[in-house]
Amino acid sequence: MRHAAAALLLCAAIAGPACARLADLGLAIGSLKQGQANAITDVPGVLVGQITRIEGSRVRTGATAILPHGGNLFQDKVPAGVFVGNGFGKLAGSTQIVELGEIEAPILLTNTLNVAEALAASVEWTLEQPGNETVRSVNAVVGETNDGFLNDIRARTLTTADMRAAILAARGGAVAEGNVGAGTGTRLFGWKGGIGTSSRRLPGGETVGVLVQGNFGGPSLRIAGRALPTEPAGAPTAALAEAVGDGSIMIVIATDAALSDRNLARLARRAMMGVARTGSVMDNGSGDYAIAFSTHAAVRRSAARRAAVTAYPETGNEAMSGLFAAVADATEEAIANALLAAKPMQGQGGNRLEALPEALLQAR
């Protein structure tokens, strides 16, 4: 840390939400039940760590790390799939996931201009894991959204040490939402955005969990089918009006269903249905990315299995529809939770974003 008196550095992995979530308001999306924490960490083994940096009046940023499991990810890879809705953004490491269908390092989310530091941290952390002493190539995975409305993004405040701290903070349990981690300086539909998460359990016992870094907008906003304003009362400033449209969302999806990388890519595509329900049309300047992985032990690509002809169990195509419904519903609710958990924030240049008032939902 630079100066303890000047910087606020928070490592948040399991801190619970500070304000209402959608379910607390008596609103439900879909008919499937939520997991115990209603978070991506309801999928067994998934860990989340976050680092938040708020410094002076100009720095409003952070990073969020998602680990598919707590072991050696490089030696015990998980199958994965990626879908790009609109590609105005950066999802580093995505081409190797598409090619090989697997993840071998933590997934890190941060701001657009600190992707390099996140990549370095993931590589360093992976090389240091016991059993990786001879590793000479690591496919680090980093997603981003641009928090430059509130954050002095050109300052590139976050360091490699900050990114490593997010990885090391990763825990199970409840996940902090709103103005934390990679969602510290983000916006949603003209309101303060942030990190949001949700999960669904299928009748057969499988769980789908979603975490979003919400930083996008659209011509209209809907939550649980209810139309809401896309800005606070009164005419927005020119800067805010510009911020309401283009933007980005990073969606991370975990499941314990035994899925191949092919069906994980199909699952990732369905997450965009949840995004569309909130009012997004995936504008020209929007980066809309979904990455999905399975934690099921029998589908992992361990070192011993990769060297030979192998067979993996796979959920059949006919059994995917329930998982599609789960990911669409969990994605929509994760976005809603990001909005509801966020608090008002003022940042660089005096720019300010207000929180979506709970009363707008409670009164309907």
Side-chain angles (χ1 to χ4, degrees):
M1 294 178 61
R2 296 174 179 174
H3 301 287
L8 175 62
L9 182 61
L10 305 173
C11 290
I14 59 174
C19 56
R21 307 178 82 193
L22 191 66
D24 298 329
L25 302 180
L27 298 175
I29 296 173
S31 59
L32 293 171
K33 293 183 178 180
Q34 302 161 340
Q36 182 176 358
N38 193 19
I40 192 172
T41 48
D42 286 327
V43 178
V46 176
L47 310 174
V48 174
Q50 306 196 74
I51 183 171
T52 301
R53 185 176 285 283
I54 298 173
E55 184 174 332
S57 62
R58 301 183 63 82
V59 177
R60 306 285 187 269
T61 195
T64 299
I66 303 96
L67 278 63
H69 60 76
N72 188 325
L73 288 164
F74 188 89
Q75 300 296 337
D76 200 12
K77 308 178 199 297
V78 297
V82 169
F83 179 71
V84 181
N86 191 66
F88 194 96
K90 297 87 187 162
L91 180 53
S94 61
T95 56
Q96 185 167 314
I97 297 174
V98 171
E99 184 71 22
L100 302 183
E102 58 193 28
I103 289 175
E104 62 187 28
I107 300 167
L108 279 162
L109 306 177
T110 188
N111 74 64
T112 306
L113 297 188
N114 274 132
V115 169
E117 286 71 24
L119 287 167
S122 182
V123 169
E124 291 176 5
W125 182 85
T126 301
L127 293 179
E128 291 171 359
Q129 301 308 298
N132 293 350
E133 291 80 9
T134 61
V135 170
R136 297 197 295 180
S137 174
V138 177
N139 187 50
V141 181
V142 180
E144 55 76 32
T145 70
N146 194 308
D147 57 15
F149 182 70
L150 292 177
N151 177 50
D152 182 5
I153 194 168
R154 287 175 59 88
R156 301 185 66 248
T157 305
L158 296 174
T159 66
T160 301
D162 291 335
M163 303 297 183
R164 288 170 61 91
I167 298 173
L168 294 173
R171 302 288 186 276
V175 176
E177 299 173 294
N179 303 3
V180 295
T184 300
T186 62
R187 72 217 179 226
L188 272 170
F189 293 95
W191 302 98
K192 182 65 186 72
I195 293 294
T197 189
S198 184
S199 68
R200 293 294 186 274
R201 285 187 59 81
L202 277 71
E206 303 93 341
T207 299
V208 174
V210 173
L211 182 143
V212 303
Q213 179 191 14
N215 189 52
F216 67 98
S220 61
L221 169 61
R222 302 185 73 86
I223 292 180
R226 299 165 182 238
L228 298 169
T230 57
E231 59 195 37
T237 64
L240 179 55
E242 181 182 354
V244 169
D246 291 350
S248 299
I249 183 169
M250 288 287 168
I251 308 166
V252 180
I253 304 152
T255 184
D256 55 0
L259 300 187
S260 64
D261 54 276
R262 177 183 61 83
N263 268 333
L264 284 163
R266 297 179 73 204
L267 191 69
R269 284 199 290 272
R270 269 57 176 200
M272 295 303 167
M273 297 183 68
V275 177
R277 290 176 190 168
T278 67
S280 171
V281 295
M282 292 190 290
D283 297 285
N284 175 70
S286 183
D288 308 283
Y289 296 83
I291 180 169
F293 61 84
S294 172
T295 65
H296 195 291
V299 298
R300 291 185 184 177
R301 282 85 178 280
S302 64
R305 299 181 75 181
R306 291 196 300 273
V309 175
T310 58
Y312 299 93
E314 179 178 359
T315 299
N317 294 333
E318 293 78 9
M320 289 298 298
S321 294
L323 295 166
F324 293 160
V327 75
D329 291 348
T331 300
E332 182 183 358
E333 184 166 344
I335 294 167
N337 285 338
L339 274 165
L340 289 167
K343 289 181 166 58
M345 179 173 282
Q346 184 164 313
Q348 62 96 20
N351 290 340
R352 181 178 175 85
L353 291 171
E354 302 295 337
L356 178 73
E358 292 178 21
L360 291 177
L361 286 163
Q362 293 170 332
R364 292 166 180 256

